[in-house]
Amino acid sequence: MRLTTKGRYAVTAMLDLALHGSEKPVSLADISGRQDISLSYLEQLFAKLRRNELVKSVRGPGGGYRLSRGSDEIFVAQIIDAVNETVDATGCGGTSDCQQGEVCLTHHLWCDLSEQIHNFLSQISLANLVERREVQNISARQEARSQESRDGDSASQENTLSLAEI
Amino acid sequence: MRLTTKGRYAVTAMLDLALHGSEKPVSLADISGRQDISLSYLEQLFAKLRRNELVKSVRGPGGGYRLSRGSDEIFVAQIIDAVNETVDATGCGGTSDCQQGEVCLTHHLWCDLSEQIHNFLSQISLANLVERREVQNISARQEARSQESRDGDSASQENTLSLAEI
DNA sequence: TTTTTAATTGACTAAATTAGTCGGTTATTC
DNA sequence: GAATAACCGACTAATTTAGTCAATTAAAAA
């Protein structure tokens, strides 16, 4: 069982897509800006998400990524599986050969735990997350902040220009 | 959230203790032999288990470790916590400062998941595991095997001796 | 048609964590 | 006092994560 920033980033990015991708595709640069995830790292993650048919890509200007289907048809477990290979908690990866070809003493416990986690994450869709009040609040905060930083950027750019002009 | 061999080894070793420690203390060498876990590594893990008051140690010949209380009062979650520091699934470790001092978009999801996992593992005691039929079967197999290897060892030792005598 | 945008690919690197090893010390019993 | 087994700390190798970097390709806009 490994749930690290890799899986968390992937779910966060997909949720960002669900929140902003209703009209036009969302570029990784936008997601990177809003969620503070490195652009190059997002590229890596989205390569896997695309291979797992969770997103569709649109190249060129105005391009980006879209969800491959409705946000109510994409579940957190699928996203983590796509980038993490597995959410299995066993050491053997389910092959039951943990101890010299036979199951180890705690094999069944980890199987039960894996099932528990998988059931939980399989029930939560991106649409479920979008509905949540906290998620909406955080998203609003992020949009305001990224708008600010855009304002700040162009202001500082104007400033650089005017300094160059002097 | 990290559940790796470290936590799995700890639970397996504690279960071994629950299965074999009813009369006299169990040495780490015994556990190492039965469960195929490196003795030195077990020492590391048991240092933490002892600090967390899950086991008591007895030094000297015939010494080893015992559970610090009844196997029905020791839960899997406690064991993993002892060696793994945490089973938290959030990136911030629960401090809610995942994104520049504020909560990230998926913070609440990971909190819910952490709670789910913790609830599950908190309900399972070592006694529960000992009761299970599969655990009993596997334990019986391990005892037979470690008896064999003891026989095999002394046989091969005899063999070495007799070869040396020739 | 050229430029720009943004996805796509692959190779490479740094940091962190895990899973140990090794050598020696201390307490206890026989 | 010899053997046993816990205890301790420092060190190491392998793996994984979390990135970076450079170059290519496709599509739209100019």
Side-chain angles (χ1 to χ4, degrees):
Chain A
M1 166 83 204
R2 27 187 176 186
L3 179 50
T4 62
T5 56
K6 192 194 271 188
R8 283 194 293 266
Y9 280 174
V11 176
T12 302
M14 288 290 283
L15 180 53
D16 187 282
L17 213 54
L19 285 160
H20 299 97
S22 47
E23 293 157 33
K24 53 189 179 65
V26 180
S27 74
L28 295 187
D30 285 354
I31 299 179
S32 171
R34 274 190 298 262
Q35 307 301 336
D36 293 328
I37 305 172
S38 127
L39 177 58
S40 308
Y41 199 42
L42 279 175
E43 287 172 358
Q44 261 186 61
L45 299 179
F46 272 78
K48 294 189 181 191
L49 294 172
R50 194 171 53 91
R51 262 178 250 132
N52 281 266
E53 296 183 351
L54 294 173
V55 296
K56 282 184 291 192
S57 65
V58 181
R59 286 182 159 210
Y65 288 92
R66 293 174 175 286
L67 299 181
S68 65
R69 47 194 132 99
S71 63
D72 57 336
E73 294 178 88
I74 296 180
F75 298 88
V76 175
Q78 299 172 324
I79 300 170
I80 294 176
D81 281 348
V83 297
N84 256 20
E85 321 285 22
T86 174
V87 280
D88 195 275
T90 62
C92 54
T95 55
S96 302
D97 56 353
C98 347
Q99 193 185 15
Q100 303 190 350
E102 311 213 51
V103 293
C104 72
L105 202 52
T106 47
H107 179 83
H108 296 86
L109 171 64
W110 311 124
C111 279
D112 291 352
L113 175 62
S114 300
E115 198 185 326
Q116 191 81 194
I117 295 171
H118 208 267
N119 279 349
F120 180 74
L121 295 177
S122 290
Q123 280 166 11
I124 301 174
S125 68
L126 288 178
N128 292 148
L129 294 175
V130 170
E131 282 164 19
R132 287 205 201 175
R133 178 59 55 88
E134 331 98 46
V135 170
Q136 288 168 7
N137 291 341
I138 297 164
S139 181
R141 188 195 81 211
Q142 290 177 338
E143 280 169 28
R145 198 184 59 136
S146 76
Q147 186 54 50
E148 266 175 42
S149 80
R150 256 195 301 281
D151 293 352
D153 277 1
S154 63
S156 67
Q157 206 175 27
E158 280 167 22
N159 203 29
T160 317
L161 281 169
S162 56
L163 275 167
E165 284 168 359
I166 295 172
Chain B
M1 167 81 205
R2 28 187 174 181
L3 178 51
T4 61
T5 56
K6 192 194 269 188
R8 282 194 294 264
Y9 280 174
V11 175
T12 301
M14 289 290 283
L15 181 53
D16 187 281
L17 215 53
L19 285 161
H20 298 98
S22 47
E23 293 158 32
K24 53 190 180 63
V26 179
S27 74
L28 295 188
D30 285 354
I31 300 179
S32 171
R34 275 190 296 264
Q35 307 302 335
D36 293 327
I37 306 172
S38 127
L39 176 59
S40 308
Y41 199 43
L42 279 174
E43 287 176 359
Q44 260 186 62
L45 300 179
F46 273 77
K48 296 191 179 189
L49 294 172
R50 194 170 54 91
R51 262 178 251 134
N52 282 266
E53 297 182 351
L54 293 174
V55 296
K56 283 185 292 194
S57 65
V58 181
R59 286 184 159 209
Y65 288 93
R66 291 175 178 286
L67 297 181
S68 65
R69 46 193 134 100
S71 61
D72 57 336
E73 293 176 89
I74 296 179
F75 298 87
V76 175
Q78 298 172 325
I79 300 171
I80 294 176
D81 281 348
V83 298
N84 255 23
E85 319 286 21
T86 175
V87 280
D88 197 274
T90 63
C92 55
T95 57
S96 302
D97 57 352
C98 350
Q99 194 185 17
Q100 302 190 349
E102 310 213 52
V103 295
C104 71
L105 200 53
T106 46
H107 179 82
H108 297 85
L109 171 64
W110 311 125
C111 280
D112 292 351
L113 174 61
S114 300
E115 198 185 327
Q116 191 80 194
I117 294 171
H118 208 269
N119 280 349
F120 179 74
L121 295 177
S122 290
Q123 282 168 9
I124 300 175
S125 69
L126 288 178
N128 292 148
L129 294 176
V130 170
E131 283 164 21
R132 287 205 200 175
R133 177 58 56 89
E134 330 96 48
V135 171
Q136 289 169 6
N137 290 342
I138 297 165
S139 181
R141 187 194 80 210
Q142 291 178 336
E143 280 169 29
R145 198 184 57 137
S146 76
Q147 186 55 48
E148 264 174 43
S149 81
R150 257 195 300 281
D151 295 350
D153 277 2
S154 63
S156 67
Q157 208 174 25
E158 280 168 23
N159 203 32
T160 319
L161 281 170
S162 58
L163 276 169
E165 283 167 1
I166 297 170

